[in-house]
Amino acid sequence: MSTTDASGWTIIVPVKPAAVGKSRLAGVGTDREALARAIALDTINAAAAAAHVARVLVVTDDAGVRLELRRARAVEVVAEGDTRGLDAAIALGASAAGQGTPRAALLGDLPALRPADLDHALELAASVERGLVPDAEATGSTLVTARAGAVWVSAFGKDSAARHRLLGCTDLAVDRESTLRRDVDTAAQLSEAVALGVGARTSAVLAAAAA
């Protein structure tokens, strides 16, 4: 693959079990577990629909997510098992992808993600060894990329954008308003995602809570 070829990416999406995921959304008036799972599935489905994505590897032990994805196109589930921590789960997916393919870690909390926004970022990422898309607050990270042949590294968590830059990641020129940057951990961030337009599963959970 040439360094300017944006096709054929493997996207790695780590998903915590819904029973423990998105704890800060407990007060938004919905079934938090159902909402956490819906957010993850909307993110995965958007990634799988992107033109430059050949394969999505979901690293999870969540039985509900595994069940929902059993017939999903171009989506495979990797069992998290005894792996602990976000970076370790992502590394498990990166190992399954193989170093010979371009890989990207995408956080599973982007319910408003549009496939075209992910495609744009991957086009930009094709020209750098390692790329980074910060979150809307510019401190965290929603996407980290490595082109074919690059050793996988990541440092998700608090202030991860700065730590990813120290690991050699280049900021990709993705607009602040891109749906790729609106991750959801809080009620306020969920409201922003809803304003952008969340996916069908998240919308259904929120609608059921409002009924």
Side-chain angles (χ1 to χ4, degrees), residues 32-103:
R32 182 197 51 77
E33 186 171 335
L35 181 59
R37 189 172 289 121
I39 287 172
L41 289 168
D42 280 337
T43 304
I44 293 161
N45 289 335
H52 295 319
V53 174
R55 184 184 186 198
V56 178
L57 295 178
V58 180
V59 183
T60 189
D61 282 337
D62 186 277
V65 169
R66 295 173 70 95
L67 183 64
E68 290 288 342
L69 294 176
R70 66 192 186 282
R71 295 189 184 90
R73 182 189 68 82
V75 178
E76 302 167 46
V77 177
V78 176
E80 189 171 0
D82 294 330
T83 303
R84 291 293 177 267
L86 192 57
D87 289 309
I90 292 168
L92 191 65
S95 177
Q99 195 169 330
T101 186
R103 293 137 290 153

Side-chain angles (χ1 to χ4, degrees), residues 180-191:
L180 181 56
R181 298 188 65 177
R182 183 59 286 156
D183 56 343
V184 170
D185 286 309
T186 67
Q189 291 169 346
L190 178 61
S191 294

Side-chain angles (χ1 to χ4, degrees), residues 4-197:
T4 58
D5 186 352
S7 63
W9 286 82
T10 295
I11 306 297
I12 303 149
V13 185
V15 178
K16 286 182 181 179
V20 298
K22 297 300 161 196
S23 58
R24 285 186 283 172
L25 295 179
V28 299
T30 66
D31 180 332
R32 182 197 51 77
E33 186 171 335
L35 181 59
R37 189 172 289 121
I39 287 172
L41 289 168
D42 280 337
T43 304
I44 293 161
N45 289 335
H52 295 319
V53 174
R55 184 184 186 198
V56 178
L57 295 178
V58 180
V59 183
T60 189
D61 282 337
D62 186 277
V65 169
R66 295 173 70 95
L67 183 64
E68 290 288 342
L69 294 176
R70 66 192 186 282
R71 295 189 184 90
R73 182 189 68 82
V75 178
E76 302 167 46
V77 177
V78 176
E80 189 171 0
D82 294 330
T83 303
R84 291 293 177 267
L86 192 57
D87 289 309
I90 292 168
L92 191 65
S95 177
Q99 195 169 330
T101 186
R103 293 137 290 153
L106 177 73
L107 294 193
D109 58 358
L110 299 159
L113 179 63
R114 296 183 190 123
D117 286 347
L118 178 57
D119 276 330
H120 174 61
L122 296 176
E123 288 166 6
L124 297 171
S127 63
V128 299
E129 183 170 8
R130 294 190 178 90
L132 162 69
V133 176
D135 61 14
E137 289 75 26
T139 56
S141 310
T142 62
L143 183 79
V144 170
T145 70
R147 69 187 181 197
V151 174
W152 179 261
V153 291
S154 69
F156 283 94
K158 183 178 174 57
D159 298 323
S160 65
R163 287 185 285 116
H164 280 128
R165 292 181 190 110
L166 289 174
L167 290 174
C169 293
T170 300
D171 282 67
L172 305 176
V174 172
D175 290 342
R176 161 68 173 77
E177 294 76 20
S178 170
T179 61
L180 181 56
R181 298 188 65 177
R182 183 59 286 156
D183 56 343
V184 170
D185 286 309
T186 67
Q189 291 169 346
L190 178 61
S191 294
E192 289 183 16
V194 168
L196 289 170

Side-chain angles (χ1 to χ4, degrees), residues 194-207:
V194 168
L196 289 170
V198 294
R201 293 176 184 273
T202 304
S203 181
V205 170
L206 295 176

